[in-house]
Amino acid sequence: MAPYDSDSSAGEEDDFTETNVLLGYASKDPKDESISRLGGRPEWLDENAPPSAALARCNVCKDLMVLLLQLDGELPDRFPGHERRLYVFSCRRKTCRRREGSIRALRSLRIAPGTAAAAAAREKKKKAEEQAAAESKSKEEKQTPKPPSNLGETLFGAQTIGSSSGSANPFSTGASSALGSNPFASSNPFSTETKPEPKPTTPSPTITEKIEALPKTFAETLSLNSPQPAAASPAPPPEPWPAAAGQPPPYPVSYLSEAEYETLDPLPAPAVPRAARVDVDAAEAGSKGGSGKEDREVFESSMDAAFQRFADRLAQNPEQAIRYEFGGQPLLYSKTDAVGKLLLAPPTPTTNSSGGVGINIASASASAASGGAPGMPRCGNCGAPRAFEVQMTPHAIAELEADEVSLEGMDWGTVVVGVCARDCQARGVDEEGRVGYVEEWAGVQWEELTGGGKRR
């Protein structure tokens, strides 16, 4: 399968037939799919252990949000024994739109009992195989005959200097006793150094011991003024969910019962619409004899290339509601907004010990090797890199708002979800078989407003 690059140029797209991106299509018929869907109310991995309702509240108005997407995210090849789901929530208030925190993402995880032991057994087996291979290689190297070091003696019978059969060296301290011992090798009484006996070292008293040796009142004062290690603050108790009647009305349910890998047709070069006006200086056009090719270049330079690529890519499969590729690259709606700049930002320069400025290649390579996206914020739960997993497309809005009467609906171009590349478990959930919930990164690219206030 050909690798997928969302930023590929039009000329390179001629080679693409099928990408690694899995497209999800919405349908009212669930068929065999009952988990992955748009809208409705969330279904938790354990209905008796839902997440705190605070994780589904808008960070702007603090109201409870509604479900946009629920996705079955099990990846048995990458995370064996991990039962996982993704949730994307959105605030229904119009005043909260286009504000950070009005759309949030959540990942739930339940690790099957015995998963850690199985992983440890696999790691132990892998290390044993590696050690056996290293020992086998070392044994082969030892069995390989090496050329003799006294090659001249072996070939011509000559005795080399320093060989055991040669004459003894009279200047050597280890010479034969027949030549007598070397008088200059005897110990010189003037050269002997009498070393003092090492004194037993007593450990210096610690700060705590010093404090204890002080008068009680002074020691107590000093102890109170000294910085004490901060105790881990307990997690706040989970906020219970209100009854269904106390929650905002959900969007209608559309099941993601159909999925297929994205296929692309070769795209022709963009043509200039007949009604398009191209402002070219008349004098310059007269002197250079402006051609249609120049006019097209001027027109293309005024277009938003990222948005045009986004629109062209979606137009080939217009009914796609989600795009899924764990560890892949999202299709950006824009490169100039906050999310686009974040995901396309170059590696951060670092200062080395000599004062020079460089790029932390090791960190960037480690992030890429683990499937992480360098521009995404790291996991707030374990600190590991985050990886792209899924994004929602504008057609999902049409499915969610199919029954809406108002013309002022959701106005995002795409919602990009980045998750922990290690698929870590929530803090405090140490026992296998229990469900944990971790908030993940939701990068929202809003529809751009034109000069007349219209949305694009």
Side-chain angles (χ1 to χ4, degrees):
M1 189 178 297
Y4 168 63
D5 180 8
S6 64
D7 290 329
S8 59
S9 62
E12 293 173 345
E13 289 175 350
D14 296 341
D15 300 330
F16 291 150
T17 54
E18 185 177 273
T19 73
N20 295 325
V21 181
L22 189 65
L23 305 181
Y25 297 90
S27 172
K28 296 299 181 183
D29 183 6
K31 297 183 180 180
D32 297 330
E33 180 60 61
S34 60
I35 299 177
S36 300
R37 61 173 184 256
L38 302 175
R41 299 194 185 277
E43 292 184 2
W44 313 114
L45 287 176
D46 185 354
E47 293 297 333
N48 296 322
S52 173
L55 294 174
R57 288 194 178 277
C58 175
N59 283 336
V60 181
C61 68
K62 306 306 178 183
D63 280 356
L64 204 63
M65 299 189 289
V66 294
L67 183 70
L68 296 183
L69 171 67
Q70 176 179 287
L71 186 66
D72 183 357
E74 291 192 21
L75 298 170
D77 294 336
R78 184 180 292 268
F79 304 119
H82 286 206
E83 186 180 3
R84 55 198 301 274
R85 290 184 189 177
L86 300 180
Y87 306 90
V88 179
F89 297 92
S90 175
C91 183
R92 269 188 172 272
R93 284 181 177 267
K94 297 179 181 179
T95 55
C96 295
R97 292 174 183 171
R98 297 183 171 271
R99 300 182 67 179
E100 186 175 357
S102 61
I103 294 181
R104 300 174 68 178
L106 192 64
R107 172 176 58 88
S108 65
L109 173 63
R110 176 166 53 193
I111 301 177
T115 300
R122 287 194 301 268
E123 186 66 21
K124 184 178 180 180
K125 182 180 178 181
K126 180 181 177 181
K127 289 183 178 180
E129 292 176 351
E130 293 176 352
Q131 184 177 0
E135 292 176 353
S136 177
K137 183 178 179 180
S138 177
K139 187 177 180 180
E140 291 178 359
E141 291 177 351
K142 289 181 179 180
Q143 292 178 352
T144 303
K146 296 182 179 180
S149 59
N150 53 345
L151 188 59
E153 183 179 350
T154 303
L155 294 177
F156 307 107
Q159 295 179 352
T160 59
I161 298 175
S163 63
S164 60
S165 58
S167 59
N169 183 1
F171 303 102
S172 172
T173 57
S176 175
S177 60
L179 296 175
S181 61
N182 186 356
F184 302 101
S186 61
S187 59
N188 187 350
F190 301 101
S191 64
T192 56
E193 298 177 359
T194 58
K195 297 183 179 180
E197 292 293 330
K199 297 180 180 180
T201 58
T202 57
S204 58
T206 62
I207 296 177
T208 305
E209 293 173 348
K210 290 180 179 179
I211 293 176
E212 292 177 352
L214 293 172
K216 184 176 181 181
T217 55
F218 187 78
E220 289 177 352
T221 305
L222 183 61
S223 178
L224 291 174
N225 293 335
S226 301
Q228 302 296 324
S233 57
E239 178 186 343
W241 283 73
Q247 300 180 22
Y251 286 111
V253 176
S254 295
Y255 296 94
L256 299 172
S257 54
E258 299 179 8
E260 63 180 9
Y261 282 99
E262 179 186 39
T263 55
L264 299 173
D265 297 328
L267 293 177
V272 180
R274 294 183 179 180
R277 293 186 58 186
V278 180
D279 296 331
V280 181
D281 185 76
E284 183 178 355
S287 61
K288 294 185 179 180
S291 61
K293 180 180 179 181
E294 293 174 352
D295 294 345
R296 186 179 65 179
E297 290 175 354
V298 174
F299 172 77
E300 291 176 4
S301 65
S302 64
M303 297 168 57
D304 186 338
F307 172 75
Q308 191 61 44
R309 187 179 297 111
F310 180 87
D312 291 342
R313 187 65 63 102
L314 296 187
Q316 296 206 38
N317 300 277
E319 294 184 355
Q320 58 181 289
I322 65 169
R323 299 171 60 86
Y324 184 92
E325 185 187 6
F326 190 97
Q329 296 292 328
L331 181 63
L332 295 181
Y333 180 87
S334 172
K335 292 184 179 181
T336 58
D337 66 351
V339 173
K341 291 178 180 179
L342 179 67
L343 297 182
L344 297 175
T348 304
T350 57
T351 304
N352 54 33
S353 57
S354 60
V357 178
I359 301 298
N360 192 341
I361 301 298
S363 177
S365 302
S367 176
S370 63
M376 286 187 183
R378 301 180 76 88
C379 176
N381 185 60
C382 71
R386 275 199 174 103
F388 165 74
E389 184 159 5
V390 67
Q391 72 181 113
M392 302 181 68
T393 68
H395 186 72
I397 298 178
E399 294 288 340
L400 291 165
E401 296 182 342
D403 299 337
E404 298 287 330
V405 179
S406 174
L407 298 178
E408 297 183 2
M410 289 181 282
D411 54 354
W412 44 261
T414 184
V415 179
V416 179
V417 178
V419 300
C420 176
R422 292 172 48 192
D423 199 41
C424 65
Q425 181 58 284
R427 297 177 185 176
V429 184
D430 302 326
E431 182 182 352
E432 292 182 337
R434 292 178 55 197
V435 180
Y437 300 90
V438 178
E439 182 171 8
E440 296 291 8
W441 181 74
V444 186
Q445 293 194 290
W446 304 98
E447 289 183 346
E448 296 180 1
L449 299 176
T450 61
K454 297 181 180 180
R455 293 181 297 180
R456 185 183 64 183

